[in-house]
Structures are given as C-alpha cells and as structure tokens.
Amino acid sequence: MLTHPQNLSHAAGYQYAAGLLLAIGLYGSTYDIDFAEVRRSLKVVLVAVTVGVLVKASLIATVMVLAFDRPEYLVLGIAVAQIDPLSVAATQKSDRVSPRAKAILSVWAAFDDPMTVLLTLYFSALAVRYGAGPAGDGSAGDGSVVTDTATVFVDLLLNLGLFALVAALWWVAAAWLGSRGPARRPGARPAADVVALALVVALILFAAQDMMVLAVALTGLFVRLGRFGAGLETAVALAFLIASAVLGVVLASGEVFLREGLVLGASAFAAQLLVTLLISRLLVRPRLTWPDLAHLGFGQQNGITAILLALALEPRFPGTVGVVGPAIVTVNLLHHTFQWARVDRWRGDSSTAPEPQHAATATRQELKPEPG
C-alpha cells in the first residue's frame, strides 16, 4: 500500500518533492531576516544551532530512554529537536515581540534544520553500528565511525561550497549590472531581480536532490528577490499546506504509538524552553523582555523536517513514524495552546522588580497617561 510509511518514503519523486518543500521553507525563513539583527545576535544564534541543538537532543533522548528503556530512542531526540521554519514563517506576527527576537527565532529555525539533518544521519549510523537497530547486532552498519564522521564533514563542506558558488555568481552578476552588491534597494534594478530569481530557483531545484539545506538557508540571507519577493510568501504558505497534508498521510497509516509520541512531544517542547532560558541568561545582552523570552521559549514547532527524518529512520528503526507522528502533533498543539493563551501577557508591567530593559521596551499601547 502506497500510504504505508516505508512505501511512501520510496515512492517515485517523494524524497525530491520533500526536499523541495524544505528548501522553499528554509529560503523563505531567512529571506526576511534583517541582516543587521543577525550580526547583532550572531553569537546567540551560533550557540543555539550547535550547542543548543545538542543539548535539546540530549535532554529529549534521556527522557525517552529512561521512560521506555529502548536505546534506539536516542535518535528520536535529534529528529524532533529542530524548529520547523515553515511554521515559524507562518506565525511571526506578534506586535508585542521585538524584531530582534523574531530574527533570532527565524535564524534559529532556519539553521537548526540542516544541523539536525546532519546529526540524525550521523547518530543513526552510530546507533545501528552499536546494536540499537532492529537486528540488535550492529550488522547494518557499514564502514566505521571515522567514515561516518568524514561523511558529515564532507556534506557540510559541499553545502558551504555550493553557497560560495551561488554567492560568487550573484556578486559578479550584481557588479556587471551596475550594483555594488546584494544589499540594493528591492526593485531598484529589475535585471538584477531576474538574475536573483534565476539563481535562487536553480539553487533550490539542485539542492533538493541531496538535501543541501544549509546552502539554501545561507543564500536567503544574501540573495534577495527584490520585486519578485512578494510571491515568496505564497510559495511558503503553499509549502506549509503540503507539508501538513504529508503529515496527515503519515499519521493515517501504520501503527501509532500514542504514549511514546506524547512523551516525545512534551519533552521536545520543554527542552526548547530550558535551552532558551539557558542561552538568554548566559549570552543575551541586554536581556530579553518577557514577551521576547516567551516567544522564543514557547516557539518550538515541528513539521516537514521531522516528517522527513522519521521516514528516513523508519527502515532502520521500525516504529519511528508511529512515535514521531503523534510527537509532531503534540508539539504543535502545545505551541498553539500557549499562543492562544497569550503567554506573553502572563507577566504584566506591574510585576515585581521588573528589569530596566523590560520597562524601557514596554509597548506604546500599554503606556497610558495617568488621570488628572
């Protein structure tokens, strides 16, 4: 049956279509990011997508292994540790959250996706090699740990090389067309916009073949579409709808492990909050306001990336889709529940001992003149 997870993952054109959706979402999530905000929060973002992803994955995996005593659940922590860029791009609308917090979450969501893809491939190979796979003897692991590590670094270098090629082509084209670089006014040079669109489309079509998602995310920061940027929001929304449909197909097929999925989803959501608190306290200066902190801490969402990773892991770890599917739903329900409850309003301006930054950045709507 085609809708069985393993059959679906081997269907003609599925992997490429899924890679295409992911590439569109990644480019869309970095396209609107203010590069000045990225530079300002570069250290925070770098820690979030490296150390933060590892800490989140470790916390989630620890809970799953302790709760269910199954070593293969170590890999599930990585599969749901990322924040879905399609979901983030669709929900970055709060007027109480600063552009800085939105930029941090957008970059975090965009760049922890390629990080988790690389980590999942690496650690799943290690898990199989050391007997966590279905055979229990590590027989499915070929090569060595050194080979697995080298493969990850080669993939990383290929992504960076592809981005460097696109960036070089863009700078040459911009100079030839009379632009001083990619930081031009949107729509100021129609010919440059056409070149930018052609480069981005070619990159997405090529990168989708081998999941070279890091190159796409980096390109979104530097190559802007100018007058064609208006159509990008529609493309991202369409990709989000298709990803949701894929999730429905996955959940409607095969055995569902509801209890394990609920624990996995709740663990992922809690891990995002803990990592946000840790990073904000250690690295962010000036400190984030409560609405900004809530936006990041409760920003965990899962989508097409988690689906792809679950499908990729299913042959080696049977039942992965049945666990990750309910986990995705759990994470997103928790996210939207906290959004609906407006957690950014739980702490008012009259809270005890507010931080100076919080008082200074209160929204104008909340500041009312005293009577008389």
Side-chain angles (χ1 to χ4, degrees), residues 7-165:
N7 294 336
L8 181 62
S9 64
H10 291 95
Y14 171 78
Q15 292 291 343
Y16 180 78
L20 200 62
L21 292 176
L22 182 58
I24 292 172
L26 285 171
Y27 182 80
S29 64
T30 58
Y31 177 82
D32 287 330
I33 295 174
D34 185 349
F35 197 69
E37 291 289 350
V38 174
R39 286 199 300 265
R40 181 185 177 192
S41 305
L42 184 60
K43 181 171 66 174
V44 177
V45 172
L46 286 177
V47 172
V49 302
T50 53
V51 177
V53 170
L54 288 171
V55 171
K56 283 176 65 175
S58 299
L59 290 172
I60 302 166
T62 299
V63 171
M64 292 299 292
V65 172
L66 290 178
F68 303 105
D69 194 24
R70 297 191 56 178
E72 62 268 31
Y73 281 178
L74 286 168
V75 184
L76 299 183
I78 305 173
V80 297
Q82 32 62 43
I83 308 169
D84 181 51
L86 292 176
S87 302
V88 169
T91 58
Q92 291 267 58
K93 298 178 180 178
S94 175
D95 57 356
R96 290 174 55 84
V97 180
S98 71
R100 184 187 184 196
K102 291 181 181 180
I104 291 175
L105 185 58
S106 293
V107 181
W108 189 344
F111 289 103
D112 71 352
D113 262 36
M115 184 70 176
T116 52
V117 170
L118 293 174
L119 287 176
T120 300
L121 296 176
Y122 178 64
F123 282 102
S124 64
L126 289 182
V128 171
R129 190 180 314 288
Y130 291 108
D137 56 6
S139 58
D142 300 324
S144 65
V145 175
V146 175
T147 302
D148 296 335
T149 305
T151 300
V152 171
F153 279 102
V154 168
D155 288 342
L156 179 61
L157 290 175
L158 288 174
N159 272 272
L160 294 176
L162 179 59
F163 164 68
L165 175 61

Side-chain angles (χ1 to χ4, degrees), residues 9 17 28 30 53 62 99 110 122 126 132 143 172 178 182 200 223 225 236 283 304 318 320 331 338 342 358 361:
S9 64
T30 58
V53 170
T62 299
Y122 178 64
L126 289 182
V172 170
V200 170
V223 182
L225 299 180
V236 170
L283 297 177
I304 189 64
T320 299
V331 168
F338 279 92
R342 295 304 303 271
H358 184 90
T361 54

Side-chain angles (χ1 to χ4, degrees), residues 289-310:
T289 64
W290 169 245
D292 285 354
L293 194 62
H295 186 66
L296 296 177
F298 298 104
Q300 177 69 22
Q301 299 169 80
N302 284 142
I304 189 64
T305 306
I307 297 170
L308 289 171
L309 293 178

Side-chain angles (χ1 to χ4, degrees), residues 195-212:
V195 172
L197 178 63
L199 279 175
V200 170
V201 170
L203 171 66
I204 289 176
L205 292 175
F206 179 80
Q209 296 180 7
D210 296 307
M211 291 291 179
M212 302 182 74

